[in-house]
């Protein structure tokens, strides 16, 4: 059974189990809508979802909802507009509910055990990155992140203002990120 046939032969029973009052003329108009506009609606669904299977599901969902509301439509000639509006609404709900945290890949990344060689390589990359900075800036970064001191404590040790520590550390990290030197540490 094709997707069009599946929609055309929907039972006339709504969600509550009550048989919908649909006469043969309404049934014929709905069937005409599905037969003549299904492909256009499916293409519209694809534009929304960028996935043919999801577009089919979306189109069938919207047509099923339209079928149950067919008797309440004021203008049956505008039924395609109503279906498209239902598609946009349903897709919006699907999109908000869908979790997009994982992205499928062909190859899984290898996460090996952190060896002594890896730790030495990371330490070496960090040392090389820090050597590109002026000595006072290196001292601020070392005190702030290596010794885990607060900005106030770093300022007291180096004899400068807290604002100076904040701005210098911020500029240094920005510079290291811009130069790509911190990327080696990831």
């Amino acid at each position: 059974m094709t997707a069009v046939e599946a929609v055309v032969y929907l039972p006339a029973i709504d969600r509550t189990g009550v048989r919908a009052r649909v006469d043969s003329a309404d049934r014929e108009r709905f069937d005409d809508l599905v037969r003549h506009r299904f492909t256009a609606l499916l293409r519209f669904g694809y534009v929304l979802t960028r996935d043919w299977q999801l577009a089919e599901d979306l189109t069938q969902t919207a047509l099923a909802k339209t079928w149950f509301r067919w008797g309440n439509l004021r203008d049956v000639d505008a039924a395609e507009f109503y279906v498209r509006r239902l598609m946009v609404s349903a897709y919006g709900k699907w999109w908000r509910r869908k979790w997009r945290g994982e992205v499928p890949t062909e190859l899984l990344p290898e996460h090996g055990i952190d060896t002594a060689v890896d730790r030495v390589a990371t330490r070496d990359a960090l040392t090389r990155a820090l050597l590109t900075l002026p000595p006072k800036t290196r001292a601020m970064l070392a005190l702030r992140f290596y010794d885990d001191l607060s900005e106030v404590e770093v300022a007291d040790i180096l004899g400068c203002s807290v604002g100076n520590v904040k701005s210098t550390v911020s500029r240094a990290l920005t510079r290291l990120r811009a130069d790509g030197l911190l990327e080696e540490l990831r």
Side-chain angles (χ1 to χ4, degrees), residues 132-167:
T132 64
L133 300 173
K136 188 170 184 178
T137 304
R138 277 198 311 261
M140 284 184 188
L141 288 174
L143 290 170
R144 182 75 181 98
F145 298 108
Y146 184 74
D147 288 339
D148 200 25
L149 299 178
S150 69
E151 291 153 345
V152 174
E153 293 169 325
V154 172
D156 286 343
I157 290 171
L158 295 178
C160 60
S161 69
V162 175
N164 187 10
V165 171
K166 287 181 181 181
S167 63

Side-chain angles (χ1 to χ4, degrees), residues 53-67:
Q53 285 78 26
L54 210 57
E56 248 182 45
D57 292 345
L58 184 63
T59 305
Q60 289 183 6
T61 298
L63 285 170
K65 287 181 179 181
T66 302
W67 172 247

Side-chain angles (χ1 to χ4, degrees), residues 68-181:
F68 293 124
R69 302 290 297 168
W70 191 261
N72 296 340
L73 290 178
R74 282 185 242 145
D75 184 10
V76 176
D77 295 330
E80 183 179 355
F81 174 78
Y82 180 71
V83 172
R84 288 178 189 266
R85 198 173 86 201
L86 283 175
M87 289 173 73
V88 170
S89 175
Y91 180 65
K93 288 178 185 175
W94 292 359
W95 189 84
R96 284 188 296 273
R97 289 182 186 162
K98 186 177 177 184
W99 182 64
R100 290 172 193 68
E102 293 179 12
V103 178
T105 61
E106 271 188 47
L107 300 173
L108 294 174
E110 291 187 30
H111 294 290
I113 299 171
D114 191 23
T115 64
V117 173
D118 294 331
R119 288 190 298 272
V120 169
T122 301
R123 186 175 296 146
D124 181 56
L126 179 59
T127 302
R128 282 187 284 115
L130 289 174
L131 288 174
T132 64
L133 300 173
K136 188 170 184 178
T137 304
R138 277 198 311 261
M140 284 184 188
L141 288 174
L143 290 170
R144 182 75 181 98
F145 298 108
Y146 184 74
D147 288 339
D148 200 25
L149 299 178
S150 69
E151 291 153 345
V152 174
E153 293 169 325
V154 172
D156 286 343
I157 290 171
L158 295 178
C160 60
S161 69
V162 175
N164 187 10
V165 171
K166 287 181 181 181
S167 63
T168 302
V169 167
S170 176
R171 279 193 308 269
L173 293 175
T174 302
R175 179 177 161 200
L176 291 173
R177 286 185 189 112
D179 292 343
L181 298 173

